[in-house]
């Protein structure tokens, strides 16, 4: 055990003292926030110059009701379609609307003088659809139809409560949107952890094997101890990184969010945490936003999420790093490792795809079983936890995952013992199986 602890300490110190570790640890939370804010910023600052569309409306119904905005403007023209296409080349495009548009909604053509976009086309078609629907409703001779439609327009805001958790009136409501977003982010983070840190172990083994350092080390350390020390050393780095992220994010939730959020928003979030419905806490504010603020400022909830993340990051890493270490010991360079690495990375990619099934139905049989299979459980289960699934499922998944790690270490150690002394030949899958069968 003393040898294993020495190797763990060496692997930990080698990585934690690097500038790249410090920079990555501090910048990752900022990067995650930037990724969430980036779509809104891109939409805000990617607005192009206003596009002018000339409209030829033979029906006389559509053109007067088309509404422009900062990106799209409409101008009617009396030119024929052929003449407009030749003369109005300075416009973005020419929109032709047939005279029988009420009975033939397909009689619409759009001639553009440059590349069009999905947003422009959907804006035009959606406006024409609304105008046609309103014109058809006028045929029923209903008085004050626009006012009636405005009065009957209703927006429903439904709050969801877990009746199986609590049947008290002051129980906290749940938000599927917040759970889906959080589950997807956590699953993607764990997916990246498994690939990055697993590959880190493999790269380290390959480098030491090529430098012949392993041949010296195994004279005083058993190959199994060497592999376990390397795996646990890198695992401790991953855990430290997650803990630092948790502290930073909890600090943001506890200190910065209340400073930047209006007092009424924070009061509404506090009311939600105490069991009030979002519609009752602040009727004029988007309930999903209140749910998100309430979740980010609930330290108990945040600590639960990061505690689960640490357990599954550690378990998933231990399970996969044993395989990555075995692959690294069996080859001489990273290029040769690609072929053997594919069967290991495919289940991780499958787990990322399975998160879509979790978002669709976190309690489905498919989501349940993939959260129990150790090859996919770290990513899939961490994506299910924000939905407040039963704790026995989380516990069972952890037990299966860590028990599978023990079996995987036994399997990988047999390959590792032989592979670290093999040079100049890339083994096949069949040869790796033979190595596992060797008796010592």
């Amino acid at each position: 055990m003393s040898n294993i602890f020495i190797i763990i300490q060496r692997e930990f110190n080698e990585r934690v003292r690097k500038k790249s570790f410090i920079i990555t640890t501090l910048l990752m939370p900022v990067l995650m926030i930037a990724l969430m804010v980036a779509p809104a910023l891109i939409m805000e600052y990617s607005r192009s110059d206003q596009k002018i569309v000339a409209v030829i409306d033979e029906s006389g119904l559509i053109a007067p009701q088309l509404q422009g905005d900062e990106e799209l403007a409409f101008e009617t023209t009396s030119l024929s379609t052929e003449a407009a296409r030749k003369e109005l080349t300075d416009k973005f495009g020419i929109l032709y609307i047939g005279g029988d548009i009420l009975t033939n909604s397909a009689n619409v053509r759009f001639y553009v003088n440059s590349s069009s976009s999905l947003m422009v086309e959907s804006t035009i078609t959606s406006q024409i659809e609304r105008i046609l629907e309103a014109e058809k409703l006028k045929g029923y001779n209903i008085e004050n139809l626009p006012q009636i439609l405005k009065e009957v327009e209703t927006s429903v805001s439904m709050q969801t409560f877990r009746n199986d958790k609590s049947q008290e009136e002051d129980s906290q409501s749940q938000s599927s949107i917040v759970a889906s977003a959080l589950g997807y982010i956590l699953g993607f983070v764990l997916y990246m952890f498994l690939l990055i840190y697993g590959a880190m172990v493999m790269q380290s083994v390959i480098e030491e094997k090529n430098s012949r350092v392993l041949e010296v080390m195994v004279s005083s350390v058993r190959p199994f101890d060497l592999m376990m020390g390397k795996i646990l050393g890198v695992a401790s780095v991953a855990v430290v990184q997650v803990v630092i992220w948790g502290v930073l994010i909890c600090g943001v939730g506890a200190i910065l969010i209340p400073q930047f959020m209006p007092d009424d928003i924070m009061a509404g979030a506090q009311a939600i945490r105490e069991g009030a419905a979002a519609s009752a806490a602040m009727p004029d504010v988007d309930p999903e936003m209140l749910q998100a603020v309430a979740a980010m400022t609930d330290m108990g909830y945040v600590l639960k999420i990061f505690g689960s993340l640490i357990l599954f990051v550690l378990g998933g890493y231990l399970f996969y790093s044993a395989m990555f270490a075995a692959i690294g010991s069996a080859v001489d360079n990273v290029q040769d490792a690609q072929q053997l690495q594919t069967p290991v990375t495919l289940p991780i990619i499958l787990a990322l795809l399975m998160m879509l099934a979790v978002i669709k139905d976190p309690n489905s049989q498919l989501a349940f079983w993939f959260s129990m299979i150790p090859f996919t459980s770290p990513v899939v289960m961490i994506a299910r936890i924000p939905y407040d699934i039963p704790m026995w499922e989380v516990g069972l998944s952890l037990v299966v995952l860590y028990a599978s790690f023990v079996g995987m270490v036994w399997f990988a150690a047999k390959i590792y013992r032989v592979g670290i002394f093999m040079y100049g030949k890339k083994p096949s899958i069949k040869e790796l199986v033979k190595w596992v069968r060797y008796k010592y």
Side-chain angles (χ1 to χ4, degrees), residues 136-178:
K136 290 180 180 180
L137 285 172
K138 289 179 181 178
Y140 292 92
N141 297 320
I142 302 175
E143 296 182 2
N144 301 323
L145 180 60
Q147 181 180 352
I148 294 173
L149 291 175
K150 186 176 181 180
E151 291 176 354
V152 300
E153 183 178 349
T154 306
S155 177
V156 177
S157 177
M158 183 177 67
Q159 301 298 305
T160 304
F161 297 85
R162 289 290 298 271
N163 195 49
D164 58 334
K165 297 290 183 181
S166 174
Q167 297 184 0
E168 301 294 333
E169 289 296 331
D170 59 349
S171 60
Q172 184 174 342
S173 60
Q174 307 290 323
S175 173
S176 296
I177 294 179
V178 173

Side-chain angles (χ1 to χ4, degrees), residues 178-359:
V178 173
S180 299
L182 183 59
Y184 190 85
I185 292 172
L186 291 175
F188 188 78
V189 167
L190 209 145
Y191 163 80
M192 295 299 296
F193 258 96
L194 295 182
L195 287 181
I196 292 173
Y197 282 95
M200 189 182 296
V201 171
M202 182 183 69
Q203 182 71 30
S204 177
V205 173
I206 293 175
E207 291 176 354
E208 292 180 353
K209 181 179 177 180
N210 289 334
S211 64
R212 307 293 199 203
V213 172
L214 291 177
E215 295 181 0
V216 178
M217 295 182 67
V218 295
S219 63
S220 57
V221 181
R222 293 186 306 166
F224 177 81
D225 296 342
L226 184 61
M227 185 185 73
M228 284 299 298
K230 189 173 294 292
I231 291 173
L232 296 177
V234 179
S236 61
V237 176
V239 171
V240 167
Q241 202 163 42
V242 173
V243 169
I244 294 175
W245 290 351
V247 171
L248 291 175
I249 293 178
C250 288
V252 170
I255 300 174
L256 297 183
I257 292 179
Q259 297 297 325
F260 288 99
M261 285 290 178
D263 293 338
D264 54 348
I265 297 291
M266 294 306 301
Q270 178 64 28
I272 290 177
R273 290 198 299 270
E274 293 175 355
S279 57
M282 293 192 70
D284 299 329
V285 179
D286 184 4
E288 295 297 342
M289 188 187 75
L290 279 180
Q291 294 277 5
V293 174
M296 288 187 294
T297 54
D298 186 349
M299 289 301 101
Y301 180 76
V302 173
L303 291 175
K304 171 188 172 183
I305 293 298
F306 272 97
S308 302
L309 182 62
I310 289 175
L311 291 175
F312 280 100
V313 161
L314 182 60
Y317 162 79
L318 292 175
F319 181 77
Y320 273 98
S321 62
M323 289 184 282
F324 278 108
I327 292 172
S329 68
V331 297
D332 296 333
N333 54 69
V334 177
Q335 290 73 22
D336 291 342
Q338 295 298 322
Q339 180 181 357
L340 298 177
Q341 190 177 348
T342 300
V344 178
T345 56
L346 283 179
I348 305 177
I349 298 173
L350 175 62
L352 187 66
L353 297 176
M354 281 305 304
M355 286 198 301
L356 300 176
V358 172
I359 294 174

